[in-house]
Amino acid sequence: MLYQQGAVKRDVAVVLSNKAQKKSGPVVGFNMAAVDVVVCNLVTLWRIPAVRHKFPWMFLLISVLGSILKEFQLVPQTYFSSSRNVLNVYFVKVSWGWTLLLLTPFLLLSNTAFSRNPVFLGRRLLSLAVATVVWYLCTETFFYIEHVTGECFQRDSMDVRSSQFTSKAECRSAGYHWHGYDISGHSFILTYSALFIVEETAPMASLKTARMSMRQRVVLNLLCWGLRAGCWRGT
């Protein structure tokens, strides 16, 4: 009697589980199919030579136009003009960290379908380390240029100079304003990250995922979609 009751309970659990899978299955399948379509469209777009060749020039054009609009104050002040907005604090300032967080598993996973050679994978991972060193040296150089070309002023109008503070940190800690030649680190990191992502995800155009499992293909497509979305975020 107890055995029969246990068997009935198991049968009921199986039926309920099958019903739940039937309800959620189409939704999950539709979402994954949508991701596949987006990734395929991005890969197809990137196969066009004109898109690849003109992509870096787009950043130059945006930088020049943005500088002109900022210099002549043609853009009204909004929430996103503040350096404390959510996108700037949690994404732009740590954008290189987000890049490494998505790009590292992408390289590891795509290597299984592109080339299983550990030397090839090592070269791709080494490029991440070299790019990180370049990013660090450039940002430190920007800070140094702003330091050696700057002066401390008591007001933002820069009419009263305060010579007792010789560094940006000391000047700002005293509540004053440091004015120097400020190279936009935000523009640099967004452009640098986008160009590096595009270069490292270029093998997606010739990647053969037939040997990969369904789960690996889904994860790879999501990583590729996230990285390409990061490129357009930088623009």
Side-chain angles (χ1 to χ4, degrees), residues 123-190:
R123 291 171 57 187
R124 297 186 72 186
L125 294 177
L126 181 61
S127 66
L128 289 180
V130 173
T132 302
V133 173
V134 172
W135 160 77
Y136 178 79
L137 293 177
C138 288
T139 53
E140 289 298 316
T141 301
F142 296 161
F143 292 147
Y144 177 75
I145 292 175
E146 185 181 10
H147 171 72
V148 297
T149 61
E151 291 181 300
C152 186
F153 296 88
Q154 295 183 11
R155 290 192 295 267
D156 197 21
S157 58
M158 296 184 297
D159 55 351
V160 180
R161 185 180 289 104
S162 179
S163 59
Q164 59 179 325
F165 301 109
T166 58
S167 68
K168 181 179 179 180
E170 295 176 351
C171 179
R172 287 193 168 183
S173 62
Y176 296 160
H177 301 275
W178 183 268
H179 181 72
Y181 189 78
D182 184 14
I183 301 175
S184 177
H186 289 62
S187 298
F188 164 75
I189 190 58
L190 290 176

Side-chain angles (χ1 to χ4, degrees), residues 80 96 105 213:
F80 295 101
W96 188 248
S213 65

Side-chain angles (χ1 to χ4, degrees), residues 36 109 209-210 212-222:
D36 287 338
L109 190 58
T209 59
M212 303 177 67
S213 65
M214 177 61 69
R215 180 177 298 179
Q216 288 177 325
R217 288 199 298 270
V218 169
V219 174
L220 185 64
N221 285 337
L222 289 175

Side-chain angles (χ1 to χ4, degrees), residues 26-38 214 218-219 221-222:
V27 177
V28 176
F30 174 77
N31 292 335
M32 292 302 99
V35 173
D36 287 338
V37 171
V38 172
M214 177 61 69
V218 169
V219 174
N221 285 337
L222 289 175

Side-chain angles (χ1 to χ4, degrees), residues 49-211:
V51 175
R52 297 198 305 270
H53 296 158
K54 295 181 180 179
F55 187 73
W57 293 101
M58 180 178 61
F59 289 98
L60 178 61
L61 178 62
I62 293 174
S63 298
V64 172
L65 290 178
S67 299
I68 294 174
L69 294 175
K70 177 65 176 178
E71 182 67 23
F72 293 98
Q73 298 182 354
L74 300 177
V75 179
Q77 295 292 320
T78 63
Y79 167 75
F80 295 101
S81 302
S82 173
S83 60
R84 297 182 179 180
N85 70 76
V86 175
L87 293 179
N88 184 64
V89 173
Y90 295 103
F91 292 97
V92 177
K93 287 189 176 181
V94 291
S95 58
W96 188 248
W98 285 109
T99 301
L100 295 180
L101 183 65
L102 294 175
L103 198 55
T104 302
F106 174 83
L107 295 181
L108 294 173
L109 190 58
S110 63
N111 188 70
T112 61
F114 189 73
S115 174
R116 295 180 180 271
N117 189 346
V119 176
F120 178 77
L121 176 60
R123 291 171 57 187
R124 297 186 72 186
L125 294 177
L126 181 61
S127 66
L128 289 180
V130 173
T132 302
V133 173
V134 172
W135 160 77
Y136 178 79
L137 293 177
C138 288
T139 53
E140 289 298 316
T141 301
F142 296 161
F143 292 147
Y144 177 75
I145 292 175
E146 185 181 10
H147 171 72
V148 297
T149 61
E151 291 181 300
C152 186
F153 296 88
Q154 295 183 11
R155 290 192 295 267
D156 197 21
S157 58
M158 296 184 297
D159 55 351
V160 180
R161 185 180 289 104
S162 179
S163 59
Q164 59 179 325
F165 301 109
T166 58
S167 68
K168 181 179 179 180
E170 295 176 351
C171 179
R172 287 193 168 183
S173 62
Y176 296 160
H177 301 275
W178 183 268
H179 181 72
Y181 189 78
D182 184 14
I183 301 175
S184 177
H186 289 62
S187 298
F188 164 75
I189 190 58
L190 290 176
T191 304
Y192 184 68
S193 297
L195 294 177
F196 190 74
I197 288 172
V198 166
E199 183 68 22
E200 291 301 321
T201 56
M204 280 293 292
S206 58
L207 196 64
K208 297 180 180 180
T209 59
R211 69 179 70 178

